[in-house]
Amino acid sequence: MSTQLSEQIKKYVQPARVHRRIYTDPEIFELELQNIFGVAWLYLGHESQIEEPGNYLCTHMGRRPVVVVRDNDRSIKVIHNQCAHRGSMVVALPQGSADEFQCCYHGWTYHLDGRLKAIPLQNGYPADFDPKNPRTAMTKVPRVRSYRGFIFASLAPDGPSLEDSLGPMKTSLDDMVDRAPDGEIEVAGGAFRHAYNGNWKIYLENLCDAAHPWFTHRSSIDAAQKQADDVFSDGSGEIAIRQMRQNGAPYSFWESQVGIWTYPNGHSYLGDYHDDSKLVAAMNDPVFREYISALETKKGKQAAAEILKVRRWNSNIYPNLSMMSQFQQLRVIQPVSVNRTIVHTYSFRLRGAPDQMFRNTISFANIVNGTGSLVLTDDLEIYNRISLGLSSEGAEWLEIGRGFETDVPEEDGGRKGKNSTSEIYIRNMFDAWVAYMSNARSHDSEGKQARALS
Amino acid sequence: MNTGLHSHPLPSAGKTASATRQLSREICENFLVSEARLLDEARFDEWLALFLPDARYWVPSEPNQQSPHDTVSLMYDDRRLLETRVRRLSSPRIYSQEPRSRTSRIVTNVTIEEQSPAFCVVRSKFMMIEFRRDDQRVFGGTYHHHLTTARDEIRIAFKRIDLVNCDMPLDGLVVPF
């Protein structure tokens, strides 16, 4: 990557505006894959998806396909999904269970941790061919770390620890887990995969945007407000309609009752959103009451109150993860090209919670993250339209300045917007973006790796 | 194939469905063709009127999905949500339909899977082309309709749509199948 580009990039981010090329330039996207997705701790999956030795799931680190696997010693390994012989993708199913991985081309067979186990037709290789040489393995991703069941990995062999990178945002992961009466959560209920023709950053920039629902979601807000409540519902429609009406809260609500917090490395959350009157599954809902009582029985009244006091809407962990704890939602962002993004969304079951809680989780997932949702479809339209707009050179700069002069520093190293309609979380992501993009560390590590293999 | 809800007869279907007269394959096929026409012509209010007051409309997210309650769905609407979905389609501010989709559907391979006193289970194959903005998408799969008669009109108690690509990364699905 040219030094010229690195220098230019700094000019593309100004205090309250950014240049359109950040979202449209294929060269910048390639540099993001190296300097951000090639370095940062990326969320890959949850331990409940690979509970037993041999369980694996396939995902991507940036554009690189990897396999996340539970090894025989129960440790978690992440290996590039690529045969050391001719480069073929070895593991073809999205998830499963295996004793070993075997390439379907010439039968090279690997241990779960990627080391070569056997090759057929061993004669005829060069004299120095050594099956124990790491270059004849499925390459290991150097750093893998799990925080309370959430599996992260980094392609950089060294750098800040996961805990240091998360900083105070660890509490959003805690919030996901602590809500389970039995103290454990599990991925359940399938997944949505939605795709749009637009840059990956647009998605994260929308998740904490409290100023868009009033406009973007107008059609579903209006339709839900007009809906008669005495029409048959098995509960699913009821939750969906409640959520759509909530999206129609006036600006005064967003400006007085909801806050936005941001932290180093691009992380942020929208908070204080839900309380007794605002929670979508309201506190006086019989299912929620039953859940609270299960939580109190397992954890004690005071601890349960502490847990439920955390009232966050979306928490975003830069650059590829977003969560919502009240309805146990998680989204993973997969950048495909500068103008194409896939988002995978998952639900969690709270172990020890009433069954109906999970049924509500599913209804909520359908309306908030569903590919055919009455809400998300208008967000996807916005992502596509931003790309269509930005493809023009008619306007060079995008505004990210709302709330710029009213940011408030926080004691724990974060910064808070004056209220939730501040674009501080976008500016905060760009602070991280500039730091990642101008850091030469990834080039060094790639260089080191290349030398080790030569 | 197990249609999920099919194996658990709709709990409240009996409230609004009268005893179904035997529906011939031809009558069912004509019904499906006219339903597809309503959708293609964006006559969504008339389409909604085909559903019983306690109907369910379901597009699973997984092949052979057993339940809409323990696994997410591309669409799962009870009558209340289906009404909201259809009302939204006529909103002048439905940005995901600006411009509107144009669709063309073919319904074929119609078979009657089951005749019960409450409803008739009809299986069919469909293909739908959707054109919008600069893009044309093709959807195909299997319909399962639970049809019944109410005041001599055929009504839908339950409709399940299994897309062959239900678990593929997809851009938004706005027009009903």
Side-chain angles (χ1 to χ4, degrees), chain A residues 258-280:
Chain A
V258 187
I260 175 83
W261 281 260
T262 72
Y263 292 98
N265 302 316
H267 315 318
S268 57
Y269 67 80
L270 266 183
D272 273 5
Y273 187 0
H274 291 135
D275 64 16
D276 288 23
S277 58
K278 288 177 275 180
L279 189 64
V280 177

Side-chain angles (χ1 to χ4, degrees), chain B residues 31-45:
Chain B
F31 176 82
L32 299 182
V33 167
S34 59
E35 186 208 355
R37 182 169 176 169
L38 290 179
L39 288 167
D40 279 347
E41 294 177 358
R43 293 153 65 188
F44 298 115
D45 288 335

Side-chain angles (χ1 to χ4, degrees), chain A residues 187-255:
Chain A
V187 171
F192 286 119
R193 276 171 269 279
H194 38 259
Y196 61 90
N197 292 326
N199 189 263
W200 63 275
K201 296 187 287 298
I202 293 169
Y203 184 81
L204 278 177
E205 288 166 10
N206 186 51
L207 285 172
C208 285
D209 185 315
H212 85 284
W214 181 260
F215 274 90
T216 306
H217 300 306
R218 195 72 250 164
S219 62
S220 57
I221 294 166
D222 286 347
Q225 281 172 346
K226 286 185 192 134
Q227 179 59 49
D229 290 330
D230 57 359
V231 174
F232 170 76
S233 170
D234 63 12
S236 314
E238 192 186 341
I239 286 188
I241 288 159
R242 229 190 284 170
Q243 175 56 33
M244 287 186 267
R245 289 174 180 163
Q246 177 67 39
N247 281 339
Y251 287 133
S252 57
F253 167 81
W254 301 102
E255 298 224 297

